[in-house]
């Protein structure tokens, strides 16, 4: 299994509070991703990073920000959590050097915003 | 933009039988990767099988095989001798070779139930 951890694994927070989710990898992979998973929507990309301090938006980036100051860590921040951000969040990593290009996923974080 | 469509939200199969999950995709590219991921109740996303578009031979991993029809843009997953542990959500996914950002586009998933 790829060395990817996410913290916390579960979190309940109140509307309007800031929340930061952490993804940590031990594989030294260049690319890191944050997805959210909701029933009926599959996995949707929030933000991704293609190197330290290099990030870009995905399809559902509104209300989220990210930071990557080290290769191994990718942080997802909800500046002011809303109930619509209740979801399961997955981090993934990949390395584009050579094929086969798949992404490896962390165990997920279940976030509930009340 | 590429899209991935899984038209079967849920499917059921009897234990030990064979089941096929459908996936179609839309792209104008000629070289790409396709994947099937499995997500059991534990929520962990597990890569089941991958297919390189330039390879005509269908990929196989033990009881899992694909039927890759490039012209039809179809990529179905066949599970033979279904087992209770195969019960999961299955996601079809597409990855462009031309894009250097490694982004993967996922379908919405098919939930597979195994009937004992």
């Amino acid at each position: 299994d790829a060395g990817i951890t996410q913290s916390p694994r579960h979190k309940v927070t109140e509307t309007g509070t800031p929340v930061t989710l952490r993804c940590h990898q031990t594989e030294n992979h260049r690319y890191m991703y944050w997805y959210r998973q909701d029933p009926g929507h599959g996995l949707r990309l929030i933000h991704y990073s293609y190197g330290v301090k290099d990030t870009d938006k995905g399809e559902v980036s509104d209300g989220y920000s990210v930071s990557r100051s080290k290769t191994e860590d990718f942080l997802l921040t909800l500046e002011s959590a809303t109930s619509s951000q209740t979801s399961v969040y997955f981090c993934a990593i990949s390395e584009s050097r050579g094929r086969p290009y798949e992404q490896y996923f962390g165990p997920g974080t279940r976030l509930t915003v009340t | 933009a590429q899209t991935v469509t899984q038209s079967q939200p849920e499917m059921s199969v009897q234990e030990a039988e064979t089941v096929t999950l459908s996936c179609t995709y839309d792209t104008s590219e000629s070289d790409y990767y396709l994947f099937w991921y499995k997500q059991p109740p534990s929520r962990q996303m597990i890569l089941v099988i991958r297919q390189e578009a330039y390879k005509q031979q269908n990929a196989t991993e033990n009881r899992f095989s694909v039927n890759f029809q490039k012209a039809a843009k179809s990529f179905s997953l066949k599970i033979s001798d279904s087992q209770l542990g195969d019960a999961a959500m299955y996601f079809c996914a597409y990855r462009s070779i031309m894009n250097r950002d490694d982004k993967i586009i996922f379908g919405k998933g098919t939930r597979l139930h195994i009937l004992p």
Side-chain angles (χ1 to χ4, degrees), chain A:
Chain A
D1 289 343
I4 311 169
T5 57
Q6 292 184 230
S7 58
R9 295 291 312 280
H10 302 271
K11 185 169 183 66
V12 179
T13 191
E14 293 184 349
T15 298
T17 59
V19 177
T20 295
L21 308 183
R22 180 183 183 235
C23 177
H24 179 78
Q25 61 146 327
T26 58
E27 305 295 320
N28 200 35
H29 280 8
R30 178 182 176 189
Y31 292 90
M32 299 186 74
Y33 308 82
W34 277 108
Y35 292 91
R36 60 177 290 173
Q37 183 179 19
D38 305 288
H41 290 278
L43 282 89
R44 293 181 292 175
L45 182 65
I46 304 171
H47 281 282
Y48 66 99
S49 170
Y50 45 95
V52 174
K53 297 186 180 180
D54 291 323
T55 64
D56 206 347
K57 296 178 179 180
E59 63 178 305
V60 290
S61 59
D62 287 348
Y64 302 94
S65 63
V66 290
S67 65
R68 190 170 179 199
S69 58
K70 298 184 291 184
T71 298
E72 57 266 35
D73 290 326
F74 192 32
L75 303 180
L76 177 70
T77 297
L78 291 66
E79 300 291 345
S80 178
T82 67
S83 58
S84 65
Q85 294 176 312
T86 292
S87 186
V88 178
Y89 291 86
F90 285 95
C91 174
I93 65 174
S94 72
E95 182 54 73
S96 63
R97 289 175 293 181
R99 298 172 181 253
Y101 295 120
E102 61 259 32
Q103 292 183 5
Y104 301 95
F105 285 80
T109 294
R110 180 176 292 280
L111 176 68
T112 302
V113 183
T114 61

Side-chain angles (χ1 to χ4, degrees), chain A residues 9 31 33 35 37 40 42 45 48 88 90 94-96 99-103 105-108 110, chain B residues 31 33 35 37 39 42-45 47 50 52 54 89 91 95 97 100-104 106-108:
Chain A
R9 295 291 312 280
Y31 292 90
Y33 308 82
Y35 292 91
Q37 183 179 19
L45 182 65
Y48 66 99
V88 178
F90 285 95
S94 72
E95 182 54 73
S96 63
R99 298 172 181 253
Y101 295 120
E102 61 259 32
Q103 292 183 5
F105 285 80
R110 180 176 292 280
Chain B
D31 193 15
Y33 267 84
F35 307 96
Y37 281 87
Q39 186 181 42
S42 66
R43 288 206 313 250
Q44 181 68 52
M45 293 285 286
L47 179 67
R50 76 173 75 85
E52 300 173 58
Y54 71 90
M89 183 74 88
F91 292 97
R95 196 256 188 229
I97 299 297
R100 302 181 69 83
D101 55 20
D102 267 20
K103 286 193 288 188
I104 290 181
F106 289 88
K108 294 185 177 181

Side-chain angles (χ1 to χ4, degrees), chain B residues 5-6 16 20 34 55 63 79 87 89 96 103 105 113:
Chain B
T5 302
Q6 294 179 249
T20 299
L34 296 165
K55 291 186 177 179
R63 296 183 296 106
I79 305 174
M89 183 74 88
S96 168
K103 286 193 288 188
I105 300 167
H113 302 278

Side-chain angles (χ1 to χ4, degrees), chain B residues 43-90:
Chain B
R43 288 206 313 250
Q44 181 68 52
M45 293 285 286
I46 302 165
L47 179 67
V48 175
I49 200 165
R50 76 173 75 85
Q51 175 78 41
E52 300 173 58
Y54 71 90
K55 291 186 177 179
Q56 295 198 1
Q57 185 174 6
N58 289 325
T60 299
E61 289 287 341
N62 300 314
R63 296 183 296 106
F64 297 87
S65 61
V66 298
N67 183 6
F68 174 49
Q69 301 289 328
K70 190 173 184 180
K73 297 179 183 175
S74 171
F75 182 59
S76 60
L77 175 69
K78 186 173 81 172
I79 305 174
S80 304
D81 185 25
S82 299
Q83 301 175 0
L84 295 178
D86 294 334
M89 183 74 88
Y90 287 82

